[in-house]
Amino acid sequence: MYEGERTQREAARSLARLLPRVAQAFADAGGSADDWTVFEQRLRREWPRLFALLLGLYGTQYDFFYHLEQLLLAMAQSWCERPVWLKQRDAAREADTEWFQSERMMGGVLYVDRFCGTLNRLREFIPYFKELGFTYLHLMPLFEAPEGNNDGGYAVSSYRRINPQIGTTAELAGLARELDAAGISLVLDFVFNHTSDEHEWARRAQAGDPDYQEFYFLFPDRSMPDAYERTLREIFPTVRRGSFTWRPDMQRWVWTTFNSFQWDLNYANPAVFRAMAGEMLFLANLGIAVLRLDAVPFIWKRLGTNCENQPEAHQIIQAFNAIARIAAPALLFKSEAIVHPDDVLSYISPWECQLSYNPLLMALLWESLATREVKLLAHSLSHRFRLPAGCAWINYLRSHDDIGWTFDDNDARAVGIDPWGHRQFLNTFYTGRFPGSFARGLPFQENPDTGDARVSGTLASLAGLEQALGSGDPNQIDIAIRRILLLHSVILSIGGIPLIYVGDEVGTLNDYRYVTDPTKAADSRWVHRPKRNQAAMDQRHDTTTVAGRIFGELVRLIRLRAQLPALRDGGMEIARSENRHVLAYVRQSGSQRVFVLANFSEYSQTIAGNLLRMYGPGNELFDLVGERTVSANEALILAPYQFVWLTPER
Ligand code: OTU
């Protein structure tokens, strides 16, 4: 008998055995017969897959079937408690699995505390979000976390309690519903690789509870840490060398990939998987539409490897995905893997993460802006942009994190670029140390051993606005604004969900005051996590101001995009522009075709007319951005940093 066949028989047998008990528990909890029917259908559909995944991960555990039963009971309980409006959303999104691929999808991300203080106040800004066309709003971590440094909330002390200064769980649920009514899906982090050292599980481990000590990686001496560290990469080398932290109170080394107060969870323990599945379902039932899976590469450790992107990491996420399909089908996952492009891709599928950050596009847009050449961007996108059906990129220009140069070395060599030297150049350029650089960024996590570093800074400061405003030169200011709009034009037209870090839409600059706060001073990412820029927001409709020029044009592009089915998520074909400064691609959907050209240089560039005939949608074209006709019978001159979206002349 084939292995797969045996697994499927075992899956069927175990389900037959467990179903009556689960049905009984469901009825006892007050679940209706109709609700049970829906649940049972989904369970029967997904069970073979979920069972196989869990068997692969935990099948050798003596109490495997106990965990299985507990997990099923938790899923049934969660479905029973799922609010009616979410059950309706489940049905609607199951019937329209492409909903997030629409040309109307538009994302924003912000820290509630930095933006407006509380969840209740955030509701006042829903009209602002609608002005920007948001259909997706990611609220940065807002759960209970240690006082002082908590890595911007990524050290979670409870997945069920909100930081009391920000609000309550009930307020979050209310907000989710209110946003939904405004057509906005709420996105929250699922920080499941680690907890803070103040989480109840960590506290119990500290108190000596052996069950909870098994939740983490604890070692009495250096032998195992040393063995692991031979092949580990340091993620936060300026925080602490190595990946382990000595806890004098426990006389143990603890695995801490990130900060010393962030304890990595041990997913080889089925109790950890089950506990986290429970937290996930809790968040789903609050009305969260998308969970951003934080730090996915790190969730499985294997001696002798770098402990990133292990096969089991995928199996765990796929198992969470299957659980969501059964008990909270509307829930989607967004992968946060800021690693090599091949590894980024490995997390993306309808059965794993339907959405993913696109760090390659992000990094290479900045690369093109610095070099004024698009060869690495065009070459990389030509074979790395396509995703499996039913999945979409989240295209962003910067996040709350640093920018790292995660392109493929062979892609670079293929276009004549030395990868190591180029990364050095990019770091020098974006930290403003390269002669003639327009950027004002700060280094993040410089590693003295490897020479590695990443870059912090707001979009506007990295694109030259801070320097230009300092110089007072209106030409430089104009050029910086053009750069900002150019970058946005690509994420708005290339396919996928564009994501704006709120503040960037009004040209918010770096805020260097973080250094006066001892809990933030050592982390340069705070330079680009400023508070709400109300002064600039107030100017947003005044086109004589810098904020107004950026905001006005951006909103115009967002609205334009929403009317262009060709720009919805889907096929994107890179075209040869025959000009090294100009990025070119074709977008098509049904009969609509849009040819995009984007000039990454501060000088005018010429595009031959025959290129427009070859890729363009006709001989007489119309530039939707500039609102003018373009004839393919003559060369097209692109102004500095100009971009055009060409369709057939109407
Ligand atoms: C993430 O980032 C978060 O986005 C960060 O804000 C957190 O500090 C961190 O996890 C810990 O929770 O290394 O520099 O490939 O690159 O998870 C940011 C993924 C990071 C890692 C990413 C991590």
Side-chain angles (χ1 to χ4, degrees):
M1 201 183 339
Y2 291 117
E3 183 62 28
E5 227 175 277
R6 211 174 55 213
T7 304
Q8 290 321 315
R9 280 193 193 188
E10 250 182 86
R13 219 172 319 142
S14 67
L15 188 62
R17 194 151 39 85
L18 290 169
L19 256 185
R21 256 177 278 171
V22 178
Q24 188 58 50
F26 190 83
D28 292 349
S32 74
D34 283 354
D35 268 358
W36 171 256
T37 307
V38 177
F39 182 80
E40 191 186 336
Q41 252 171 22
R42 291 187 181 128
L43 182 60
R44 287 188 183 280
R45 190 183 65 210
E46 305 293 337
W47 182 252
R49 197 160 61 88
L50 178 58
F51 180 84
L53 286 163
L54 294 175
L55 187 74
L57 286 162
Y58 305 117
T60 58
Q61 304 273 339
Y62 75 94
D63 54 355
F64 174 65
F65 285 95
Y66 164 77
H67 287 292
L68 219 51
E69 177 172 6
Q70 292 304 309
L71 185 65
L72 257 180
L73 289 171
M75 283 155 60
Q77 176 78 26
S78 174
W79 175 250
C80 187
E81 290 163 3
R82 191 156 169 84
V84 174
W85 76 276
L86 289 172
K87 287 178 172 157
Q88 287 164 355
R89 184 198 256 177
D90 290 330
R93 292 195 170 166
E94 272 186 326
D96 176 20
T97 50
E98 293 185 0
W99 68 273
F100 58 84
Q101 296 180 303
S102 153
E103 61 277 17
R104 288 192 182 78
M105 283 302 290
M106 182 71 215
V109 52
L110 56 84
Y111 267 106
V112 176
D113 51 344
R114 318 236 358 120
F115 185 73
C116 62
T118 65
L119 287 171
N120 268 335
R121 277 219 65 198
L122 192 70
R123 297 160 58 201
E124 296 165 25
F125 292 91
I126 292 177
Y128 184 70
F129 303 145
K130 292 197 75 163
E131 216 181 313
L132 281 159
F134 287 174
T135 58
Y136 160 126
L137 184 66
H138 174 194
L139 303 182
M140 296 293 296
L142 35 68
F143 294 101
E144 235 178 58
E147 281 287 316
N149 185 1
N150 52 39
D151 191 21
Y154 282 97
V156 176
S157 300
S158 165
Y159 299 89
R160 301 194 181 215
R161 284 190 305 273
I162 307 291
N163 170 350
Q165 283 162 357
I166 294 178
T168 65
T169 313
E171 284 164 5
L172 183 67
L175 178 70
R177 185 130 198 219
E178 204 170 324
L179 287 170
D180 184 74
I184 301 173
S185 293
L186 182 57
V187 184
L188 233 58
D189 284 85
F190 188 43
V191 189
F192 71 127
N193 172 70
H194 44 265
T195 72
S196 89
D197 60 355
E198 294 183 8
H199 190 285
E200 195 197 323
W201 304 337
R203 285 191 191 280
R204 291 200 187 187
Q206 287 154 32
D209 183 329
D211 286 345
Y212 286 94
Q213 292 192 336
E214 302 268 298
F215 268 48
Y216 301 96
F217 297 93
L218 304 172
F219 304 101
D221 56 47
R222 281 297 307 179
S223 58
M224 286 312 287
D226 284 343
Y228 278 112
E229 275 180 0
R230 274 195 276 279
T231 49
L232 287 178
R233 179 168 74 104
E234 288 178 300
I235 307 301
F236 281 179
T238 66
V239 164
R240 171 209 63 240
R241 301 317 299 263
S243 298
F244 298 84
T245 300
W246 175 248
R247 287 289 298 212
D249 54 338
M250 303 171 76
Q251 293 290 303
R252 289 284 186 281
W253 289 95
V254 187
W255 197 313
T256 54
T257 297
F258 300 97
N259 290 285
S260 300
F261 50 80
Q262 287 163 303
W263 289 18
D264 288 51
L265 285 161
N266 178 10
Y267 278 92
N269 177 357
V272 168
F273 177 86
R274 203 152 54 73
M276 264 305 173
E279 306 309 272
M280 175 184 85
L281 290 175
F282 177 82
L283 294 173
N285 278 359
L286 290 180
I288 312 306
V290 178
L291 283 177
R292 169 194 181 278
L293 268 50
D294 184 58
V296 289
F298 300 95
I299 60 173
W300 192 271
K301 328 288 187 194
R302 171 172 284 111
L303 193 62
T305 73
N306 63 357
C307 298
E308 293 180 45
N309 311 303
Q310 297 299 307
E312 290 86 349
H314 295 288
Q315 289 163 20
I316 285 166
I317 301 168
Q318 287 168 16
F320 281 142
N321 178 310
I323 292 170
R325 298 283 72 70
I326 297 164
L331 185 70
L332 298 184
F333 292 164
K334 171 173 68 157
S335 158
E336 193 258 343
I338 314 301
V339 284
H340 186 278
D342 290 340
D343 294 320
V344 173
L345 204 61
S346 70
Y347 293 92
I348 311 172
S349 91
W351 302 278
E352 196 164 337
C353 296
Q354 301 90 343
L355 305 173
S356 168
Y357 283 101
N358 191 347
L360 181 69
L361 177 66
M362 185 275 296
L364 292 183
L365 282 170
W366 291 108
E367 189 271 342
S368 299
L369 209 62
T371 60
R372 280 81 162 169
E373 291 195 357
V374 301
K375 58 184 179 184
L376 183 54
L377 175 62
H379 175 62
S380 303
L381 291 182
S382 70
H383 68 119
R384 294 186 183 278
F385 193 76
R386 188 191 301 270
L387 288 183
C391 300
W393 288 116
I394 304 288
N395 293 320
Y396 65 117
L397 298 169
R398 63 95 159 190
S399 68
H400 69 292
D401 279 334
D402 48 288
I403 296 176
W405 309 110
T406 60
F407 53 82
D408 175 67
D409 288 2
N410 287 326
D411 283 352
R413 288 188 199 104
V415 295
I417 289 175
D418 161 47
W420 195 83
H422 202 53
R423 290 195 177 92
Q424 298 291 108
F425 158 72
L426 291 166
N427 280 327
T428 317
F429 187 92
Y430 279 106
T431 50
R433 294 180 283 199
F434 190 83
S437 166
F438 50 74
R440 288 276 172 84
L442 296 176
F444 178 67
Q445 300 297 332
E446 273 179 313
N447 188 326
D449 296 346
T450 60
D452 222 16
R454 284 114 78 184
V455 172
S456 294
T458 65
L459 166 69
S461 287
L462 294 177
L465 187 61
E466 185 176 329
Q467 196 193 66
L469 288 170
S471 77
D473 178 348
N475 273 328
Q476 289 305 314
I477 294 172
D478 181 59
I479 287 276
I481 293 173
R482 284 165 179 258
R483 285 194 201 99
I484 291 170
L485 294 171
L486 172 81
L487 294 182
H488 280 108
S489 81
V490 177
I491 63 167
L492 284 168
S493 61
I494 201 160
I497 305 176
L499 175 63
I500 292 182
Y501 193 98
V502 174
D504 285 350
E505 76 287 1
V506 288
T508 304
L509 303 178
N510 285 346
D511 183 347
Y512 298 95
R513 286 171 296 182
Y514 76 97
V515 292
T516 61
D517 179 341
T519 68
K520 299 189 165 76
D523 188 336
S524 70
R525 293 176 297 177
W526 287 102
V527 84
H528 59 234
R529 301 170 181 173
K531 296 205 163 160
R532 182 175 81 254
N533 192 351
Q534 188 63 49
M537 281 164 63
D538 289 342
Q539 296 175 339
R540 70 186 186 278
H541 298 134
D542 178 352
T543 50
T544 65
T545 63
V546 169
R549 285 164 72 188
I550 297 171
F551 186 90
E553 198 51 23
L554 191 56
V555 165
R556 193 174 70 87
L557 291 175
I558 291 170
R559 296 204 176 134
L560 182 58
R561 168 180 178 268
Q563 295 160 18
L564 293 172
L567 298 190
R568 78 190 300 280
D569 187 49
M572 188 280 298
E573 185 201 336
I574 290 284
R576 288 178 165 277
S577 72
E578 308 295 348
N579 180 320
R580 59 200 170 110
H581 307 292
V582 178
L583 181 69
Y585 48 88
V586 180
R587 300 298 324 281
Q588 181 145 17
S589 174
S591 60
Q592 194 181 57
R593 185 177 169 91
V594 173
F595 185 38
V596 175
L597 291 165
N599 175 9
F600 277 76
S601 125
E602 63 267 68
Y603 297 102
S604 294
Q605 298 299 329
T606 306
I607 294 295
N610 66 5
L611 197 93
L612 302 181
R613 276 195 297 278
M614 194 151 83
Y615 292 105
N619 232 6
E620 296 305 311
L621 309 169
F622 186 76
D623 171 21
L624 293 156
V625 177
E627 294 177 335
R628 62 180 183 123
T629 55
V630 170
S631 166
N633 294 324
E634 51 199 76
L636 171 65
I637 311 287
L638 291 173
Y641 297 117
Q642 190 188 349
F643 48 92
V644 292
W645 296 354
L646 303 172
T647 57
E649 166 74 306
R650 290 177 273 208

